[in-house]
């Protein structure tokens, strides 16, 4: 157990992500001097007490600010709310140089700046193979055809009058952390793990629609989901899964999906890699064998150490990452720090998360914050007192099947180093005695 010291350690959170080490050092050095002067007089005045900031000398508490003496802005000035101007650093970001065209690219969620388990819709990561569209829902249709008694075409109105459910699930691109297979490639958790988001999705279970069309129970084994964008995004899903927890969803976090996330309709395939969550969903075909389309025969296959490719590895295995402190941040003080992060498993609930501060030699079990939901992000927290010496911070998740998140050595022993997809290895953040946190790999 750690003692909570009265003045929690402060963190330079560097939400910009791509600060150079020099810039980070500049910022944190400046900030430290500032903190030192700000607190010097205060701590003398209250010597012997546990108060961190004395009122004495702090203009932020002594002077009545303008906002306490003037009329505020009118209600509904912004009919659709937006974040504070002071949160402008919290942005989805493209990784410079990762892709050549922005229409076929990725933006990463700023995990380092998020709380809890729900990703604000405006910060949900994006992955488009052929750009995004804002499709008129009045003109959008979903067709179900193939091995069904009656092929049907649904309008959005048809779908939205059906009995719907709302469920919280994570979506993770299969290529998340893909740049880290061979060596450390990116500086921050936004770029190493930010193709990950979690929302409450609302829609109709795909099983309801398949029932409505009457699937040929004898021959039907698979379904194919197809998107309405120009990428010909088509993915095979086994019928078992399609009838289990897959949703045809229009809602995301209480409102309609955002255009970037598939408005007006997307598939939600809990636990499965993002590519199967077909956006702008326009067709479900029922068939008797996998289609082996381009996005499952050429892309989204795992290159194995022996040179062969593994197909149809869809589940996102148990994984976790510490989001604070994480790469690019700087601890400005010794003493108490809350270590926080996210854990998830495509196979069900997270059972336990352990945290190490010494590169995996010793582990302590973190607190899992409720709710702990199946195939959803789970938030963990653990108290920690930094004594100022270098440390390697790691988290290791275990899911309800008993599967333990692997080390890089364990993962590479099976998968090699030249893969792209399904890297769920334990992430290490190195904390230097300067307080700077950086991305390292520990074997
Ligand atoms: N129609 C269509 N669906 C798609 C894609 C796409 O390009 N077109 N990209 C897929 C991939 S690879 C991922 S990881 C997820 C990303 O979903 P998001 O953009 O809502 O985060 O959508 C999937 N569904
Ligand atoms: Mo993806």
């Amino acid at each position: 157990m750690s003692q909570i010291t009265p003045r929690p350690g402060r963190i330079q959170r560097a939400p910009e992500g791509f600060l150079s080490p020099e810039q980070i050092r500049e910022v944190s050095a400046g900030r430290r001097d500032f903190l030192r002067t700000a607190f010097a007089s205060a701590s003398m005045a209250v010597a012997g007490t546990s108060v961190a900031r004395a009122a004495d000398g702090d203009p932020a508490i002594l002077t009545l600010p303008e906002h306490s003496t003037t009329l505020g802005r009118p209600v509904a000035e912004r009919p659709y709310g937006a974040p504070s101007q002071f949160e402008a650093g919290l942005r989805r970001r493209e990784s410079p140089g990762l892709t050549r065209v922005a229409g076929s690219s990725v933006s990463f969620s700023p995990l380092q700046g998020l709380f809890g388990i729900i990703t604000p819709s405006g910060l949900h990561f994006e992955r488009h193979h052929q750009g995004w569209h804002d499709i008129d829902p009045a003109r959008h249709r979903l067709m179900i055809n193939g091995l069904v008694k009656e092929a049907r075409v649904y309008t959005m109105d048809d779908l939205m009058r059906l009995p719907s459910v709302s469920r919280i699930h994570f979506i993770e691109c299969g290529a998340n952390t893909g740049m880290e297979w061979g060596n450390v490639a990116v500086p921050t958790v936004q770029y190493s793990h930010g193709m990950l988001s979690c929302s409450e999705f609302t829609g109709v279970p795909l099983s309801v629609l398949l029932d409505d069309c009457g699937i040929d129970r004898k021959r039907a084994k698979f379904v194919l989901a197809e998107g309405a964008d120009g990428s010909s995004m088509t993915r095979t899903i086994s019928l078992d899964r399609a009838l289990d927890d897959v949703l045809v969803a229009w809602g995301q976090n209480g409102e309609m999906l955002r255009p970037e996330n598939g408005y007006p309709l997307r598939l939600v395939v809990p636990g499965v890699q993002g590519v199967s969550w077909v956006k702008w969903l326009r067709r479900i075909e029922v068939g008797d064998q996998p289609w082996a389309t381009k996005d499952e025969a050429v892309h989204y296959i795992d290159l194995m150490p022996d040179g062969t490719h593994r197909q149809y590895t869809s589940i996102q295995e148990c994984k976790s990452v510490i989001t604070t402190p994480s790469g690019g941040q700087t601890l400005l003080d010794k003493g108490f720090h809350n270590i926080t992060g996210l854990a998830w498993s495509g196979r069900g609930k997270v059972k336990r998360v352990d945290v190490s501060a010494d590169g995996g030699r010793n582990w302590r079990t973190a607190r899992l914050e409720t709710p702990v939901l199946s195939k959803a992000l789970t938030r963990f927290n653990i108290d920690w007192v930094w004594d100022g010496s270098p440390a390697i911070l790691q988290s290791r998740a275990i899911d309800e099947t008993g599967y333990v998140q692997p080390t890089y050595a364990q993962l590479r022993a099976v998968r090699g180093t030249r893969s792209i997809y399904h890297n769920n290895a334990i992430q290490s953040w190195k904390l230097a005695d300067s307080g700077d946190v950086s991305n390292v790999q520990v074997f």
Side-chain angles (χ1 to χ4, degrees):
M1 282 299 288
S2 56
Q3 317 92 332
I4 297 181
T5 58
R7 183 154 64 91
R10 284 166 187 77
I11 296 179
Q12 180 69 41
R13 287 174 193 273
E16 295 300 321
F18 264 131
L19 288 180
S20 69
E22 291 72 32
Q23 282 171 313
I24 291 171
R25 233 166 276 133
E26 250 167 59
V27 172
S28 54
R31 179 109 175 100
R32 242 178 250 138
D33 289 347
F34 163 76
L35 287 172
R36 230 170 261 136
T37 26
F39 289 120
S41 56
S43 45
M44 277 195 303
V46 294
T49 80
S50 63
V51 180
R53 279 169 195 268
D56 200 10
D58 183 353
I61 191 74
L62 289 178
T63 318
L64 212 51
E66 206 188 312
H67 57 251
S68 300
T69 57
T70 53
L71 183 60
R73 287 150 70 167
V75 74
E77 184 190 63
R78 301 191 295 187
Y80 195 103
S84 159
Q85 58 177 318
F86 303 107
E87 299 301 323
L90 202 64
R91 287 279 183 265
R92 338 187 239 222
R93 288 169 198 282
E94 270 191 283
S95 186
L98 181 63
T99 56
R100 264 180 284 178
V101 283
S104 176
S105 192
V106 185
S107 73
F108 297 81
S109 283
L111 302 181
Q112 71 280 9
L114 303 181
F115 316 119
I117 61 171
I118 299 291
T119 311
S121 296
L123 295 174
H124 191 292
F125 84 95
E126 303 160 86
R127 170 76 178 107
H128 317 305
H129 290 239
Q130 190 85 341
W132 61 275
H133 301 271
D134 196 357
I135 295 174
D136 179 355
R139 292 176 53 203
H140 189 71
R141 300 287 183 273
L142 172 68
M143 177 163 88
I144 299 191
N145 69 337
L147 299 177
V148 289
K149 286 200 190 70
E150 194 182 348
R152 287 187 194 274
V153 174
Y154 299 86
T155 65
M156 287 303 296
D157 286 338
D158 293 338
L159 295 170
M160 291 175 71
R161 61 189 288 188
L162 293 170
S164 64
V165 297
S166 295
R167 301 219 179 104
I168 296 174
H169 290 298
F170 77 81
I171 167 173
E172 181 182 23
C173 177
N176 200 24
T177 324
M179 287 174 285
E180 302 281 309
W181 269 107
N183 50 283
V184 164
V186 296
T188 68
V189 72
Q190 178 158 14
Y191 298 107
S192 65
H193 289 75
M195 284 196 273
L196 171 74
S197 294
C198 184
S199 300
E200 184 194 59
F201 293 99
T202 298
V204 58
L206 178 55
S207 61
V208 169
L209 300 181
L210 292 175
D211 271 357
D212 189 39
C213 299
I215 46 176
D216 179 340
R217 289 267 169 188
K218 277 208 195 92
R219 291 164 62 211
K221 293 275 179 318
F222 297 92
V223 304
L224 183 78
E226 179 186 85
D229 54 331
S231 73
S232 310
M233 174 55 68
T234 38
R235 290 285 303 181
T236 299
I237 296 159
S238 76
L239 187 64
D240 288 350
R241 190 184 299 290
L243 293 175
D244 182 15
D245 53 3
V246 174
L247 302 181
V248 171
W250 53 81
Q252 180 181 352
N253 297 332
E255 60 183 355
M256 290 296 287
L257 290 160
R258 294 288 168 91
E260 296 94 314
N261 304 118
Y263 179 90
L265 205 61
R266 92 172 304 168
L267 209 58
V268 167
V269 194
V272 168
Q273 61 178 333
V275 65
S276 292
W277 296 47
V278 173
K279 300 190 279 190
W280 313 293
L281 180 71
R282 73 161 167 205
R283 194 168 69 91
I284 299 278
E285 185 178 333
V286 181
D288 56 4
Q289 56 185 344
W291 278 258
T293 66
K294 72 167 168 43
D295 285 300
E296 43 200 25
V298 180
H299 307 294
Y300 299 94
I301 49 179
D302 296 327
L303 177 58
M304 302 301 280
D306 67 359
T308 60
H309 277 109
R310 206 166 63 167
Q311 268 184 308
Y312 297 112
T313 44
S314 53
I315 300 282
Q316 296 301 106
E317 298 289 357
C318 189
K319 183 168 170 182
S320 70
V321 67
I322 294 171
T323 52
T324 294
S326 62
Q329 298 181 330
T330 301
L331 302 197
L332 299 176
D333 298 309
K334 294 189 239 183
F336 176 79
H337 286 272
N338 180 49
I339 295 177
T340 190
L342 295 165
W344 61 100
S345 166
R347 297 200 187 269
K349 290 183 185 176
V350 170
K351 190 169 75 187
R352 201 176 93 202
V353 177
D354 299 328
V355 170
S356 173
D358 58 8
R361 275 186 289 278
N362 295 288
W363 297 91
R364 288 189 301 141
T365 298
R367 298 190 307 275
L368 301 187
E369 305 305 331
T370 53
V372 176
L373 300 170
S374 183
K375 305 175 189 177
L377 293 187
T378 297
R379 171 66 59 176
F380 67 85
N381 286 295
I382 188 168
D383 299 342
W384 184 55
V385 174
W386 183 40
D387 64 6
S389 53
I392 304 267
L393 303 176
Q394 300 179 325
S395 65
R396 174 181 70 188
I398 301 167
D399 70 15
E400 62 181 346
T401 70
Y403 175 98
V404 183
Q405 186 183 0
T407 62
Y408 263 105
Q410 289 166 334
L411 187 67
R412 286 187 180 138
V414 183
R415 301 278 313 279
T417 57
R418 291 165 59 227
S419 237
I420 298 172
Y421 305 103
H422 304 116
N423 177 353
N424 67 327
I426 291 173
Q427 170 68 38
S428 304
W429 301 117
K430 181 174 151 205
L431 172 59
D433 52 12
S434 63
D436 294 343
V437 186
S438 59
N439 185 3
V440 293
Q441 290 189 356
V442 170
F443 300 95

